[in-house]
Amino acid sequence: MAKTIAVNAGSSSLKWQLYSMPEEVVIAKGIVERIGLNDSIFTIKYGDGQKFELVQDIENHEVAIHMLLEQLIKLNIIDKLEEITGAGHRIVAGGEHFKVSTIIDDAALKLVDDLAEFAPLHNPAEATVIRVFQKLLPETLNVGVFDTSFHTSMPAVNYLYSLPKQYYNDFAARKYGAHGTSHRYVSERAAELLGKPIEETKIITCHLGNGASITAVDGGKSIDTSMGFTPLAGLTMGTRSGDIDPSILPYLMDKLGLTDIKDMINILNKESGLLGISGVSSDMRDLLEASEENPDAGLAIEIFEDRVRKYIGSYIATMNGVDAIVFTAGIGENDADMRRNVINGLTWLGCDIDESKNNVRGEETVLSTENAKVKVFLIPTDEELMIARDVEALKK
Ligand code: ADP
């Protein structure tokens, strides 16, 4: 039976999911954490609720993948490595080059490396993992599935910053967006729920997790998205600031005695957002708990909801209408209060949430009232399945 593995490599982690294709059945999944540190954690979940866990030093991605392939056989999840005929690799930055998921040959791999400038923590790790796959599984088809591909359909009106155009021409400085695989997956599913060809739909997809972004999907194509040159832009996120006035950077650097802009960007990436405002946590569950006593936790939640609402409003204007709004990812799928508070601010635009349906977690649901002009959906995202499907489509 043909198997496809969907791989999501971070700088110190490796998440994966093994599918039997084309049935789209998950036969095992796992995560390797703390790669390159001591006491790395290696976990596999398989069968009906079985779990394999190992804590030992795993010095690099090559060792991690070696262990993974070995354990898949030892645990009888596969009989031989040749069964894994496809590997789909999530890649963060595809620049303007990778407009769709692509078979990764040597030339493509070099391009992934060359794009490291756009995602210094991610692209090099992803390229390394692909090289290890090429070495250990020489017959397996490697496919790159890029976070940015779905957004390459954005028109210049939306991807250009209002900077000297030369900076785009000379340095490819523009908006690229992210979370494209998730936005593509849930927008396709939303069109199915609308019962219309996707070409005839206007959909706003809200991927609200630790990282968060909103996309305007017109006729099945991303035409604008809230993340920017990097994932730092747009909404208030777990630890990222989202949109700010760049003039505040030199002002704050002066006050904080910082001389390296990288330290300031680090604050915007890691110490801001929900964490920065609340002073409590980057995790929405913690904030919901803390908000009863801590007004700043409540304020962080309000700011988060405000930014989500504003982006939805602006994308309704961008598309001159909307058929459906989709909530997905950790906060989008689980936080009923957030969904209600966001949608209740959009009633004038034709949204109306059905309270009796909204009290749900992680299950595909139509949340809007029967007669609402705009449908509101909860659609659990599944980036790994989308990756496996893309690999399948590229197998002969
Ligand atoms: P990522 O994949 O970007 O790390 P997730 O999509 O897993 O993030 O989302 C994580 C976020 O989802 C966290 O802020 C977490 O608190 C939030 N979340 C998970 N469950 C709930 C819940 N029941 N209520 C509110 N927020 C939740």
Side-chain angles (χ1 to χ4, degrees), residues 42-53 75:
F42 179 99
T43 326
I44 299 185
K45 288 184 183 161
Y46 64 108
D48 22 293
Q50 282 133 292
K51 190 172 169 184
F52 174 86
E53 193 180 282
L75 297 171

Side-chain angles (χ1 to χ4, degrees), residues 207-211 282-285 288 329-331 334-335 361:
H207 178 109
L208 309 176
N210 203 9
S282 62
D283 193 290
M284 187 58 97
R285 282 165 296 198
L288 289 167
I331 303 174
N334 291 296
D335 190 345
R361 279 187 189 168

Side-chain angles (χ1 to χ4, degrees), residues 14 38 60 66 86 146 186 202 256 292 297 366 370 373 392:
L14 184 88
N38 46 17
N60 56 38
H66 227 292
F146 299 84
V186 297
K202 295 174 197 280
L256 296 168
E292 287 173 19
V366 180
E370 193 84 14
K373 192 162 92 183
E392 197 60 17

